Amino acid sequence: MSREALDRATVLLGHITPTHCADVEDASQDLLIDRKRKGNFEIVTIELNKPRSLNTLTVEMAETIMNTFGVEVDRLRTDPELSSMVLLQACPGSKGFCAGGDIRPLAEACLVGDFSVPATFFSTGYSMSACLGYIQRQQALLPLRVVALINGICMGGGLGLSIFASHRVVTENLVLAMPETGIGFFPDVGASYFLPRLPGAIGMYMALTGQRINAADALYCGIATHYCPSAALSSLSVELQKITDLNQIDAIIAGVESKLTQVSLLEAHRHSIDECFGAPGVIEIIEKLKSHADQKWAAHTLKQLLSKSPTSLFETFKAMTRGATQSLPDALQSDFDLTMRFVRSKDFTEGVRAVLFDKDNKPKWNPATVEEAFKNRDNLLHEVYHPTPRRICWPPQ
């Protein structure tokens, strides 16, 4: 082990709170999968079942989800009479759909210099997103629809799991974000593909600031396709599991939809977001915010930005710009290569310490300011990294 790895382990391993056996959820029940066939129609329900950890995804969960979809695609291809719906949901009582990936095991591995764990973790998670994206692209040819019922917290990998569903149903409890720049990382799991495709500069705004958005925001920018009151979500799930034809999905969802009374701040500040975050670089975005007419919003947003890892801001800007012209498979591959650099960086180590372990929320970034990072912007992630032969793709090649 290198001296740097030993130093990081010494600093941080003491901050990791041991998990007591009584607090561990049964890993074998992290996912509840049910498959029912009615004539030539099949319904597969995938239920995330880790409520105490907000349904964070493990490698095993991502792999099982991907394999479940793979089996369904194979069945559809071998039986031309078959059509199917996959329902993604959290177990009853969950405060969130999915809070992202279960980062603790990979963070612990990184601290002692074992980067094979994050390589497996991220390559599996990204392959899951590649699988879901493939199904979305094949909708015209594949009689398979995916319905995601999203209630409460949906962040990071939770968005990677749900964003490619054909029907993305949210409730008034939605809290959605890609908060990675706050832990010295970047919005990954395909965010470099789907965020730049949101209207205007909304994607860049969400990526850099980690701003949390509500159901009205998600509907406004297209992350969500439908709204369902949380009180009706359980009954919606039950009714969806009764259908016998794909054409019934929209009518069932329409039957529970009602007027959402929330205000969309994305819509309210859309002009300001586009004007500032449509700028050609991080420094230019900051300068726009300093002089913007919407002073209260601009001051709050500037404070958000300046609290993030400067390295993350510059690398995220580059990733979002690059992803705007890439295919999803290429964006996911680029995300993976960038991820394997980030997990070796000092800012990722420090962000994990400050936000996830110590929870003092006082990270000491290096470089400490955007001005310092700008001077070295082409060499921020200079850690030694030899690209792995892992290929992010689906179907597997």
Side-chain angles (χ1 to χ4, degrees), residues 31 48 50 53-62 65 97-103 121 125 128 155-161 189:
L31 281 175
L48 307 179
K50 292 175 61 183
S53 62
L54 296 174
N55 297 313
T56 50
L57 293 169
T58 63
V59 169
E60 294 76 17
M61 291 169 70
I65 291 169
F97 171 73
C98 176
D102 187 354
I103 200 172
F121 178 90
M128 178 192 73
M155 296 185 180
L159 202 50
L161 174 60
V189 75

Side-chain angles (χ1 to χ4, degrees), residues 167 226 236 239-240 243 245-257:
H167 298 72
H226 300 82
L236 173 60
E239 292 304 311
L240 284 170
I243 68 173
D245 187 283
L246 290 176
N247 294 325
Q248 297 170 0
I249 295 175
D250 288 330
I252 293 293
I253 296 174
V256 299
E257 283 190 293

Side-chain angles (χ1 to χ4, degrees), residues 122-169:
F122 288 110
S123 64
T124 304
Y126 295 178
S127 294
M128 178 192 73
S129 290
C131 168
L132 293 164
Y134 172 85
I135 291 170
Q136 184 192 56
R137 295 194 303 276
Q138 294 293 313
Q139 278 193 74
L141 303 174
L142 198 64
L144 169 61
R145 297 294 177 266
V146 182
V147 180
L149 304 183
I150 309 166
N151 182 42
I153 294 170
C154 181
M155 296 185 180
L159 202 50
L161 174 60
S162 60
I163 192 67
F164 300 113
S166 56
H167 298 72
R168 302 179 295 278
V169 184

Side-chain angles (χ1 to χ4, degrees), residues 194-204 220-223 270 273-274:
F194 60 78
L195 286 181
R197 286 162 175 79
L198 298 182
I202 288 174
M204 186 66 79
Y220 172 72
C221 71
I223 288 177
R270 173 67 187 278
I273 290 170
D274 287 354

Side-chain angles (χ1 to χ4, degrees), residues 110-361:
C110 290
L111 297 179
V112 295
D114 180 3
F115 298 106
S116 65
V117 174
T120 299
F121 178 90
F122 288 110
S123 64
T124 304
Y126 295 178
S127 294
M128 178 192 73
S129 290
C131 168
L132 293 164
Y134 172 85
I135 291 170
Q136 184 192 56
R137 295 194 303 276
Q138 294 293 313
Q139 278 193 74
L141 303 174
L142 198 64
L144 169 61
R145 297 294 177 266
V146 182
V147 180
L149 304 183
I150 309 166
N151 182 42
I153 294 170
C154 181
M155 296 185 180
L159 202 50
L161 174 60
S162 60
I163 192 67
F164 300 113
S166 56
H167 298 72
R168 302 179 295 278
V169 184
V170 298
T171 76
E172 74 281 0
N173 298 325
L174 179 72
V175 179
L176 187 149
M178 296 296 290
E180 290 82 0
T181 56
I183 60 165
F185 197 51
F186 76 106
D188 63 327
V189 75
S192 63
Y193 174 83
F194 60 78
L195 286 181
R197 286 162 175 79
L198 298 182
I202 288 174
M204 186 66 79
Y205 167 67
M206 290 181 62
L208 294 179
T209 65
Q211 176 67 38
R212 296 184 175 193
I213 68 172
N214 63 16
D217 292 323
L219 289 163
Y220 172 72
C221 71
I223 288 177
T225 58
H226 300 82
Y227 164 68
C228 172
S230 58
L233 196 65
S234 179
S235 62
L236 173 60
S237 174
V238 170
E239 292 304 311
L240 284 170
Q241 292 177 63
K242 294 178 182 178
I243 68 173
T244 57
D245 187 283
L246 290 176
N247 294 325
Q248 297 170 0
I249 295 175
D250 288 330
I252 293 293
I253 296 174
V256 299
E257 283 190 293
S258 62
K259 184 176 176 59
L260 178 64
T261 58
Q262 287 180 345
V263 173
S264 168
L265 293 181
L266 289 183
E267 183 176 12
H269 296 289
R270 173 67 187 278
H271 175 75
S272 299
I273 290 170
D274 287 354
E275 185 174 329
C276 295
F277 286 85
V282 173
I283 295 295
E284 291 85 350
I285 290 172
I286 290 172
E287 290 305 314
K288 289 270 190 181
L289 288 169
K290 287 179 178 178
S291 60
H292 194 65
D294 189 350
Q295 294 181 358
K296 185 176 180 180
W297 173 85
H300 171 75
T301 304
L302 181 61
K303 184 177 179 180
Q304 276 184 303
L305 269 186
L306 297 181
S307 71
K308 310 302 181 185
S309 157
T311 295
S312 292
L313 293 179
F314 282 95
E315 293 298 329
T316 294
F317 186 92
K318 287 190 284 187
M320 295 300 126
T321 303
R322 171 254 300 161
T325 59
Q326 285 184 308
S327 66
L328 175 62
D330 287 345
L332 286 165
Q333 187 66 52
S334 297
D335 280 1
F336 179 74
D337 294 340
L338 182 56
T339 290
M340 295 312 296
R341 292 184 183 277
F342 257 109
V343 296
R344 289 166 165 80
S345 71
K346 294 179 180 178
D347 270 13
F348 178 71
T349 301
E350 175 62 7
V352 166
R353 179 205 66 76
V355 177
L356 299 180
F357 295 154
D358 281 2
K359 298 184 180 180
D360 59 24
N361 291 307

